[in-house]
């Protein structure tokens, strides 16, 4: 990285522009926007232009003066907790000088008072959460071929972050709402606000737990030791969602709330894993490939982090470059009582907030 983002202190518009101008000259793609440009582009951040909302801010569709469309994330900085500022820094650090066809493209940013704006490429088909896991008629748009391409694309992006960039990047929140789709349904991994850097000489970083229930690796949820295998777990849950069309945490009248991982494990043990495949496909899929994808999903969510494959291995498994037919799947891990984790993390956050301003916790 060619420019310094500081140690979680507040940026002024002038200092940020100066820093990023250096990067823009060297790399030619990161742009400083004025708040007026973004206000005009989003029609004063009209509710009609709002296309998403996350833990730290809202996202709006905007049209720049040159006619191009962008997505503008507005991060409002909370002075005491530094929420918003930390996400802003993490996104810039992760996306300012890496490129991959399956990673969302950061176009630029803006600082205005306590507001931080991040400007991304606009993706027409929103997120997997809003489409594939939304209404049933939306799921009909996702053929087996589309689901295969999305799965491999996301896996390739995470493998790139884990194994090809320096320092390594741990996303920390792989989930359906953080996978966006362009007009051709090409997947783009987004939202690096919780990401962490991992030096080549380290296996993990210790943080307060942050992420989303249903996608959290149990060892990370209990210990706060974040490794690449936590992202592998999140991807495994996402892969099961893509193939089944079901959410990570689901509900039915007989069982109440339950985890998709748990359901997949039951089908696997009953030797009827194909029942996990989305019925909307009406059996229009290759059975052997579907079984392989579901098995890879289960391999990624095994309770023992050591047993989970690396993401580059996951890509090769999905592409049938590694034979998985004789690979045994072990017991998956999932949080049987997530409320205990949430309660413990809230207490931990209160006791450490005065000395640790580099982590955030939300579910």
């Amino acid at each position: 990285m060619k420019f310094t983002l500081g140690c979680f202190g507040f940026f002024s518009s002038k200092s940020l522009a100066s820093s990023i101008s250096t990067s823009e000259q060297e790399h030619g793609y990161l742009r400083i926007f004025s708040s007026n440009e973004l206000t005009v582009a989003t029609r004063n951040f009209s509710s009609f232009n709002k296309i998403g909302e996350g833990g730290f801010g809202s996202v709006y569709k905007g049209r720049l003066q040159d006619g191009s469309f962008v997505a503008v994330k507005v991060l409002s900085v909370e002075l005491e907790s530094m929420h918003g500022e930390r996400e802003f820094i993490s996104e810039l650090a992760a996306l300012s000088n890496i490129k991959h066809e399956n990673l969302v493209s950061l176009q630029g940013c803006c600082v205005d008072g306590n507001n931080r704006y991040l400007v991304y490429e606009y993706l027409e088909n929103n997120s997997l959460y809003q489409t594939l896991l939304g209404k049933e008629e939306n799921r009909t748009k996702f053929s087996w071929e589309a689901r295969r391409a999305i799965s491999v694309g996301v896996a390739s992006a995470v493998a790139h972050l884990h194994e090809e960039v320096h320092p390594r990047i741990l996303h920390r929140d792989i989930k359906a709402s953080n996978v966006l789709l362009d007009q051709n349904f090409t997947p783009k991994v987004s939202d690096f606000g919780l990401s962490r850097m991992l030096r080549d000489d380290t296996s993990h970083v210790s943080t307060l737990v942050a992420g989303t229930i249903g996608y959290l690796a149990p060892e990370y949820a209990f210990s706060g030791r974040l490794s690449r295998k936590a992202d592998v777990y999140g991807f495994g849950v996402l892969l099961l969602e893509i193939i089944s069309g079901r959410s990570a945490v689901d509900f039915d009248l007989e069982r109440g709330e339950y985890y998709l991982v748990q359901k997949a494990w039951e089908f696997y043990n009953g030797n009827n894993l194909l029942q996990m495949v989305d019925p909307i496909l009406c059996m229009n899929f290759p059975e052997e490939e579907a079984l392989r994808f579901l098995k890879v999903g289960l391999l990624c969510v095994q309770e023992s982090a050591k047993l989970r494959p690396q993401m580059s291995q996951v890509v090769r498994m999905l592409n049938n470059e590694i034979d998985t037919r004789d690979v045994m799947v072990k017991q998956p891990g999932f949080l049987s009582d997530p409320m205990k984790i949430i309660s413990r993390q809230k207490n931990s956050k209160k006791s450490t907030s005065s000395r640790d301003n580099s982590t955030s916790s939300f579910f």
Side-chain angles (χ1 to χ4, degrees):
M1 192 153 304
K2 301 299 184 182
F3 59 91
T4 301
L5 296 178
C7 298
F8 302 103
F10 278 82
F11 292 119
S12 69
S13 298
K14 184 176 180 180
S15 66
L16 182 65
S18 176
S19 296
I20 297 183
S21 290
T22 302
S23 177
E24 186 177 10
Q25 289 171 8
E26 293 175 354
H27 301 289
Y29 60 83
L30 198 59
R31 173 181 171 186
I32 301 297
F33 291 87
S34 71
S35 58
N36 183 62
E37 281 182 280
L38 301 181
T39 299
V40 172
T42 59
R43 297 187 179 182
N44 200 25
F45 299 99
S46 164
S47 59
F48 293 104
N49 281 18
K50 190 173 181 178
I51 55 176
E53 187 162 5
F56 296 104
S58 301
V59 182
Y60 298 84
K61 179 180 178 180
R63 186 172 186 176
L64 302 177
Q65 286 187 338
D66 63 6
S68 63
F69 290 97
V70 292
V72 182
K73 181 188 286 188
V74 183
L75 304 169
S76 182
V77 175
E78 299 174 13
L79 297 178
E80 293 181 0
S81 66
M82 295 296 290
H83 282 177
E85 186 79 351
R86 284 197 299 269
E87 180 173 2
F88 181 75
I89 293 169
S90 294
E91 293 262 1
L92 282 177
L95 293 174
S96 59
N97 63 352
I98 61 171
K99 289 289 185 180
H100 188 278
E101 62 180 341
N102 298 117
L103 293 175
V104 68
S105 174
L106 179 65
Q107 305 293 318
C109 61
C110 169
V111 172
D112 180 28
N114 288 343
N115 287 324
R116 307 289 182 265
Y117 304 91
L118 291 163
V119 183
Y120 304 92
E121 62 178 321
Y122 175 70
L123 299 170
E124 295 84 346
N125 282 310
N126 222 304
S127 73
L128 275 177
Y129 179 79
Q130 292 169 299
T131 51
L132 178 62
L133 302 181
K135 297 178 181 179
E136 184 170 306
E137 55 264 32
N138 289 338
R139 288 180 17 232
T140 61
K141 301 175 184 177
F142 292 85
S143 64
W144 174 259
E145 290 72 22
R147 296 177 199 229
R148 179 205 298 129
I150 290 168
S151 300
V152 174
V154 175
S156 299
V158 182
H160 180 73
L161 297 173
H162 283 188
E163 303 173 37
E164 297 176 22
V165 301
H166 299 276
R168 315 300 189 187
I169 296 176
L170 308 179
H171 186 281
R172 203 159 59 137
D173 202 18
I174 300 295
K175 60 181 179 180
S177 59
N178 286 339
V179 176
L180 306 179
L181 304 170
D182 69 9
Q183 60 182 351
N184 299 315
F185 284 81
T186 301
K188 309 273 187 175
V189 176
S190 69
D191 203 337
F192 285 74
L194 296 178
S195 65
R196 289 291 180 268
M197 302 296 182
L198 184 69
R199 298 194 308 270
D200 289 346
D201 60 345
T202 58
S203 62
H204 69 277
V205 293
S206 295
T207 76
L208 292 180
V209 178
T212 304
I213 293 297
Y215 299 89
L216 278 176
E219 78 283 353
Y220 169 52
F222 282 106
S223 71
R225 289 165 62 93
L226 176 69
S227 73
R228 282 174 278 198
K229 294 302 180 72
D231 276 354
V232 174
Y233 184 97
F235 173 78
V237 177
L238 176 65
L239 181 56
L240 294 175
E241 288 183 309
I242 293 170
I243 304 307
S244 69
R246 302 174 184 177
S247 297
V249 181
D250 214 334
F251 180 88
D252 66 32
L253 294 176
E254 292 184 5
R255 306 171 59 177
E257 189 175 78
Y258 68 93
Y259 289 92
L260 185 60
V261 167
Q262 188 177 15
K263 191 175 187 69
W265 179 242
E266 290 173 1
F267 279 132
Y268 177 80
N269 280 332
N271 201 31
N272 54 1
L273 193 54
L274 275 180
Q275 289 190 36
M276 281 291 293
V277 179
D278 193 344
I280 206 99
L281 291 173
C282 299
M283 298 302 294
N284 291 321
F285 59 87
E287 291 188 6
E288 184 177 338
E289 187 171 55
L291 283 172
R292 184 171 74 250
F293 274 51
L294 290 166
K295 188 173 184 179
V296 172
L298 283 171
L299 288 170
C300 290
V301 299
Q302 292 176 106
E303 187 170 38
S304 172
K306 292 181 180 179
L307 295 177
R308 297 173 205 153
Q310 296 179 348
M311 285 306 302
S312 58
Q313 293 175 311
V314 169
V315 174
R316 294 178 64 196
M317 289 177 180
L318 294 177
N319 286 326
N320 204 23
E321 296 169 6
I322 295 178
D323 192 349
T324 60
R325 286 174 295 183
D326 296 326
V327 177
M328 295 298 295
V329 178
K330 301 293 185 181
Q331 171 77 37
F334 58 91
L335 303 178
S336 58
D337 190 355
M339 293 310 297
K340 286 185 178 180
I341 302 297
I342 295 172
S343 177
R344 189 173 70 181
Q345 288 305 316
K346 285 182 178 179
N347 292 333
S348 174
K349 185 179 179 183
K350 288 178 182 178
S351 66
T352 61
S353 60
S354 62
R355 54 187 171 85
D356 182 7
N357 282 328
S358 64
T359 57
S360 59
S361 176
F362 81 92
F363 296 88

